[in-house]
Each structure stands twice: as C-alpha cells, then as structure tokens.
Amino acid sequence: MIKNFFKSVFYAIFPKNFTCDICGEETFDGNNLCEKCKPTVKFNNGVTCPVCGRKNVISEICMECKALAPQFDKAYSPLIYGDGSSALIGKFKKGSGYLKDYFCDLMIQGVKSFPEFDFITYIPVTKKTKYKRGYNQARLLARELSKRLNVKVIDDVLIKLHDTEEQKGLSKRKRLENLKGCFRVHKRKECKGKRILLVDDILTTGATADEACKLLRGAKAKKIYFITVASVEYKPEREIIL
Ligand SMILES: [Zn+2]
Ligand SMILES: [Zn+2]
C-alpha cells in the first residue's frame, strides 16, 4: 500500500509515464503502454449492440439483450474486456488509481455520444472494500468524467450494504439472485425525473448494472446511461445462460 502511495505521488508529480502500465517496462517515448503490451488492449470500436454496447458480430441488438432487456437505456465501453484491459483494470483496483486519466481519455467520446444527462453517479462498493482498497474505482472515474464534462457527481446515490459471493462463472439469473438486497437507494429525491449517467469499471453479464438500475428506476429515474471502461464481447455461439 505504501509503495502504491509513493507510486501515485510520483505520477502526480510526473504525469508523463515512463513505464508501461501493464508490464512495468520502461517505454522512453512517454507512452503509457510498451510496444509488446499495446496490441493486447483491444478497442471496442467495431460493430456493437446498440443497447448494451458490447462488441457484436452484426450491428443489431444482441440475443442476450433481446432475451432479457437491460434496465439501462444505453451502455458504452471503449475497451473489450480481456488480456490487456483486464490487466489494466486489475491494477486500477489495486492501488493504481492514476489510471483513471487514461481510462477517461477513452471513455469521454462515448459519453459525448449519449443524450444529455443531469448528473453522474457510480456503482458503490461496501465500506469494507473501500477501506481495504482505499477508494472506490468507479467513483474515481465518475469524478474525473465530471471534471471533464462539467456535470456534477452525486455521491452515495446508491450504497452497497454487503459483499456478494464471487460472481465469476455464474449465470446472469444466479448473479441477480446473489445481488438481491445488496444495494439500496440512499438519495431517492435526487433521482426523481432525472437522467443519470451511471459509471462502473466492467460490464460482463450486466447483472450488477441491472440490479442498480432497477433500484434507480424504482426511485423514478427517467433515463439511465451506463458507462464502463471495458465490456465482455457478445459471442452468439455462447449459450445464453439466463
Ligand atoms: Zn508492457
Ligand atoms: Zn446487447
């Protein structure tokens, strides 16, 4: 943790990176990724599902969104989750909070493609996780986007009451079951009739987003746009596990 602290101070003083954000090798050219790691970060700039924003084979609503419509109105992620992006997000969660700048450079164009919104908020973590990590990574992204867009962030619109079991490998329905009751709307009045930009780091099955958005809808939010750094690719050959 102390090492990470000094690293953040170093990067605050010398914002230009000298080492690769993935492997730590020196880059010399001021680039944040070395030549070897750069190709492992895949951009989600091809054909996507117009609802969940995940990479798709055709520019149509993906089968997963058709089978179980998401609770958000529209989502976008600049990166495809895997290899390079998962390494970067892993580091971002574990002390490398400075990566928010790089991620927001990538997210900003997508955010601008959304219709207007009234405020920004984020998927919360439990107090325990925040204490362990020192911050909520989604809040860092939300605050950085807010600075760049000049749209306010409202903190603690949602709160997370307890941690959930490891969600990896579970179906969306099972994930939704696990998530039941873990979030609560803390600021209902702020949501009524409002268009909200909700921020998180990854979109996988969309279960977390769904549970959070369902609660925001319950608090009468008018529109919800969801933005993450990365999302998993939609694969039609993959069995839809609902
Ligand atoms: Zn590298
Ligand atoms: Zn979709």
Side-chain angles (χ1 to χ4, degrees), residues 129-171:
T129 303
K130 198 177 162 195
Y131 180 74
K132 232 165 54 187
R133 247 177 233 169
Y135 54 85
N136 170 2
Q137 73 280 5
R139 180 172 184 261
L140 286 190
L141 295 171
R143 297 198 78 82
E144 187 58 33
L145 288 172
S146 159
K147 256 203 294 190
R148 298 186 190 200
L149 297 163
N150 208 15
V151 178
K152 66 179 172 189
V153 182
I154 304 186
D155 284 313
D156 304 322
V157 170
L158 288 163
I159 50 173
K160 194 168 183 188
L161 303 168
H162 55 83
D163 280 312
T164 38
E165 285 173 48
E166 175 70 58
Q167 299 276 68
K168 225 173 174 177
L170 297 181
S171 69

Side-chain angles (χ1 to χ4, degrees), residues 20 22-25 34 37:
C20 171
I22 295 179
C23 70
E25 286 289 310
C34 73
C37 294

Side-chain angles (χ1 to χ4, degrees), residues 20-25 27 32-38:
C20 171
D21 282 331
I22 295 179
C23 70
E25 286 289 310
T27 60
N32 70 324
L33 296 172
C34 73
E35 289 305 312
K36 212 170 72 212
C37 294
K38 209 190 245 171

Side-chain angles (χ1 to χ4, degrees), residues 73-219:
D73 291 277
K74 200 173 168 48
Y76 169 83
S77 329
L79 298 179
I80 298 167
Y81 192 64
D83 302 339
S85 70
S86 52
L88 284 170
I89 292 169
K91 286 195 163 190
F92 183 49
K93 283 181 174 174
K94 290 180 187 141
S96 301
Y98 67 90
L99 282 171
K100 68 178 173 29
D101 295 328
Y102 170 60
F103 289 150
C104 286
D105 286 346
L106 304 176
M107 290 160 105
I108 204 87
Q109 283 312 318
V111 175
K112 285 181 181 164
S113 74
F114 285 148
E116 242 179 280
F117 41 85
D118 302 295
F119 69 85
I120 305 173
T121 195
Y122 47 85
I123 298 286
V125 293
T126 57
K127 276 188 186 160
K128 196 174 130 198
T129 303
K130 198 177 162 195
Y131 180 74
K132 232 165 54 187
R133 247 177 233 169
Y135 54 85
N136 170 2
Q137 73 280 5
R139 180 172 184 261
L140 286 190
L141 295 171
R143 297 198 78 82
E144 187 58 33
L145 288 172
S146 159
K147 256 203 294 190
R148 298 186 190 200
L149 297 163
N150 208 15
V151 178
K152 66 179 172 189
V153 182
I154 304 186
D155 284 313
D156 304 322
V157 170
L158 288 163
I159 50 173
K160 194 168 183 188
L161 303 168
H162 55 83
D163 280 312
T164 38
E165 285 173 48
E166 175 70 58
Q167 299 276 68
K168 225 173 174 177
L170 297 181
S171 69
K172 184 171 181 180
R173 208 175 285 283
K174 189 85 194 111
R175 286 182 187 218
L176 279 169
E177 249 169 58
N178 279 350
L179 288 163
K180 228 172 217 154
C182 86
F183 295 125
R184 190 164 63 84
V185 184
H186 186 54
K187 293 182 178 166
R188 299 190 76 81
K189 264 198 268 168
E190 276 83 348
C191 299
K192 198 176 172 193
K194 292 295 191 303
R195 298 160 301 179
I196 303 171
L197 179 72
L198 185 64
V199 183
D200 202 7
D201 50 0
I202 317 159
L203 171 72
T204 51
T205 63
T208 302
D210 263 3
E211 184 60 19
C213 294
K214 199 173 76 192
L215 294 172
L216 295 174
R217 295 237 177 252

Side-chain angles (χ1 to χ4, degrees), residues 48-56 60-66 68 70 72 203 234:
T48 56
C49 164
V51 180
C52 67
R54 292 183 298 172
K55 182 180 189 290
N56 197 359
E60 268 182 23
I61 299 179
C62 73
M63 291 305 285
E64 286 179 26
C65 285
K66 272 186 190 159
L68 201 64
F72 48 70
L203 171 72
Y234 164 68

